[in-house]
Amino acid sequence: MFGAIDISTSGLVAQRIRMNTIAMNIANADSVDSPDGGPYKRRSVIFSVGSQPNDPAEMGVHVSSIEKQDVYRMKYDPKHPYADKDGYVKLPGIDPILEKVNEMEAARAYEANITAVEVSKAMLNSALRLLA
Amino acid sequence: MFLEGLLNRGSMPVLQQVMAFTQERHEVLANNISNFDTVGYKMQDLPVEEFFESLDAAIADRDRGGASRPLRMRSTSNLHWDRVGRLHAQPVEIENNNILFHDGNNRFVEKQMSAMAKNALLHNVSAELLRGQYEMLRTALRERL
């Protein structure tokens, strides 16, 4: 029974990491420069089964990696210090609508896991009430 | 033993089995929910029909042998009861759960959530009934109301 709460917690953690990543993508939608050189690269989380890597029971979920994607968009702005010789600035390829949809999905999945924890708590309560 | 005879008759062992099964199943259902967005994950479940068939058979078997016989669950392909009667369950992947999404996941959010709610309800009702049985025993042992 306590295992169920751990499983749901792993789901909560994974969805929160996804939410952080989405927030980072939106915050950096116009960052033309980054420590890696070039514009900010869009981050995307990869989920994998098991509450941690090499989990033998394979219960729960974890973020196995955060991938950087080489997607960009070109914006015409000849006066910009980062403009190329044709007058285009290379910006991160971030679609605000896509990020928003992902964000809503993460929030709903987080809520579903919260619901599962609440149900686990109710079940544990009723089982423990047998003692008293 | 006298006490064992008191605790292992009537609906008590049946309710205990139902509670053990629903607790085990709840973990599987919680696992499904945590993997709603995992690429390639297939929803799993414990075989509910199989469990209740096994339970029915065990009750019928016990009733044939007189009231003092213990409840013996017979193991099936996915549910295994060891010698002390503890349940070890093997989850099965649900085929044809829903359309397969592009990420290879066959989640059916509403179905999973309602399955979890129903399972929890069954667990809590069993726990409540078991509590009633214990209360009755307690009252009988105290010899006063």
Side-chain angles (χ1 to χ4, degrees), chain A residues 1 4 7 15 18 47 49 59-61 105 109 112-113 115-116 119-120 123 126 129-130 132, chain B residues 19 22-23 26-27 30-31 33-35 37-38 41 113 116 120 123-124 127-128 130-131 134:
Chain A
M1 266 319 283
I7 290 165
Q15 298 297 344
R18 182 186 184 190
F47 284 170
V49 171
M59 295 292 250
V61 64
E105 218 179 286
N113 279 297
T115 308
V119 173
S120 304
M123 283 172 75
S126 74
R129 250 159 45 95
L130 287 173
Chain B
M19 276 183 75
T22 47
Q23 286 184 7
H26 180 68
E27 285 196 14
N31 189 32
I33 289 167
S34 74
N35 281 296
D37 294 312
T38 306
Y41 180 84
M113 299 306 280
M116 192 180 64
H123 174 274
N124 293 351
E128 215 45 53
L130 199 53
R131 222 169 86 86
Y134 285 155

Side-chain angles (χ1 to χ4, degrees), chain A residues 3 12 34 45 62 64 78 89 94 108 123-124:
Chain A
L12 292 173
S34 69
V45 294
H62 72 282
S64 61
V89 185
I94 285 163
R108 292 290 170 262
M123 283 172 75
L124 267 176

